[in-house]
Amino acid sequence: MYQVINPATGELLAEYPNATDAEAREAVDRAHRAHLSWRDTPLAERARLVGRAGELFAERAEELAAIITREMGKRIAESRGELETVAEIFAYYAQNGPEQLRDEPLEIQGGRALIQKRPVGALIGIMPWNYPYYQVARFAAPNLVLGNTIILKHARSCPESAAAIETVLHDAGLPADAYINLYATSAQIAEMLADPRIQGVSLTGSERAGAAVAMEAGRNLKKAVLELGGSDPLVLLDTTDLDRTVATAVAARMGNNGQACNAPKRMIVMADLYDDFVAKLADAMSDFKPGDPADPSTTLAPMSSQTAADELVGQIEDAVAQGAVLHTGGRHIPGPGAFVEPAVLTGVTPGMRVYHEELFGPAVVVHRAADEDEAVALANDTAFGLGSGVFSADPERARRVGDRIEAGMVYINRAGGSQADLPFGGIKRSGVGRELGALGMEEFMNKKIVRL
């Protein structure tokens, strides 16, 4: 079942049945037939409708924000912020998509050619609970402008926001079958990927889910874009304002209560700053207060589920049992709801789970580095490679170190973040492919060569 369970109270609010196998097969039929007409809809009209969807996301922000605060516990201010980003993504592709899809002249030996940028067909999207609207927007907006159609399987804990997205797109004027919300099972997704009319799949989620989908996509020779986990480093080389740097680090780590794939989860600090940084970081992390995420005064939201809270506390307890130092937090907060005290760990070594695993919640590991070489070695000693941040009063020093970090994204004097015109994605076990910006338009595109 798809269920709405308020993580602030543990209360079961609603249940939605899984799609039947017949409904799943019918969704493929519908999406394929819709593509045959949607691809021939003038590009300007496709862009106009996507732009209108962005306007509706903005107009309905309050209603839509309340849904995800109830479903996955996001603080209401952050829920509203997510809707602002969603509206920006739809507006970006509505405005820039037609230019990005222009035929591209290609000078070749002995003549000329064109690269025509065309859709490929019906796609499947598999999306997570942590950013219920944003994750869908960065997949759906460019592909709808391009002329692909979409079947969207959302997280089991987000059925109401999943339905709300479909309603917004249909109210904007998109054909009903250009975007289909489906409460599918994993077995149905595998069957759908085997259908020759499905041309690709995009998944944002865990390594385990990504590996399973990649296996099915590979078996059926389907294109896959996978945005998986991250254990992003924040490297602090030097600073002229340690308080401000700590505040930036805390804000980046605690966004969405730490449940963001590209949040800095490992902070690597030069030895001369290390002790002061850890002390200030622990003080700041201990200031968060739990409360109702729908109350604007709340600073600490619940985690998305009790299972997620138990997993995070288990990771922290494993580290402490093996000798790590817990400076603050790391325990369940008594009472209803999936609340965990924000935690700071030091003394973490390779034998501990938190050295290698992603910390998906309000917890952070801090490492001491003697010099730039050790900082880079620590930053790269991970199976992940999503984002990273390098901080220094000398931008050239920060760039020099950033050039050595193995990641899909490097931010200089920033940590994490996302914007519509900036491509997003990683390497290693953080996945394959890019979303957002011009690159996000190209993943499910037929770059058709016409020899003139």
Side-chain angles (χ1 to χ4, degrees), residues 178-211:
Y179 182 97
I180 299 169
N181 174 54
L182 187 70
Y183 298 134
T185 67
S186 297
Q188 289 166 350
I189 291 296
E191 181 180 338
M192 293 160 70
L193 280 173
D195 192 301
R197 294 168 296 178
I198 296 296
Q199 299 301 314
V201 58
S202 178
L203 175 141
T204 298
S206 68
E207 290 178 83
R208 180 179 178 183

Side-chain angles (χ1 to χ4, degrees), residues 204-254:
T204 298
S206 68
E207 290 178 83
R208 180 179 178 183
V213 167
M215 182 174 68
E216 292 298 332
R219 190 198 317 275
N220 293 287
L221 299 179
K222 303 295 172 69
K223 171 69 181 287
V225 169
L226 306 172
E227 198 275 277
L228 309 178
S231 188
D232 291 11
L234 183 157
V235 180
L236 175 56
L237 301 171
D238 60 73
T239 179
T240 58
D241 188 341
L242 185 59
D243 288 338
R244 180 179 179 183
T245 302
V246 169
T248 299
V250 170
R253 182 67 195 104
M254 291 298 291

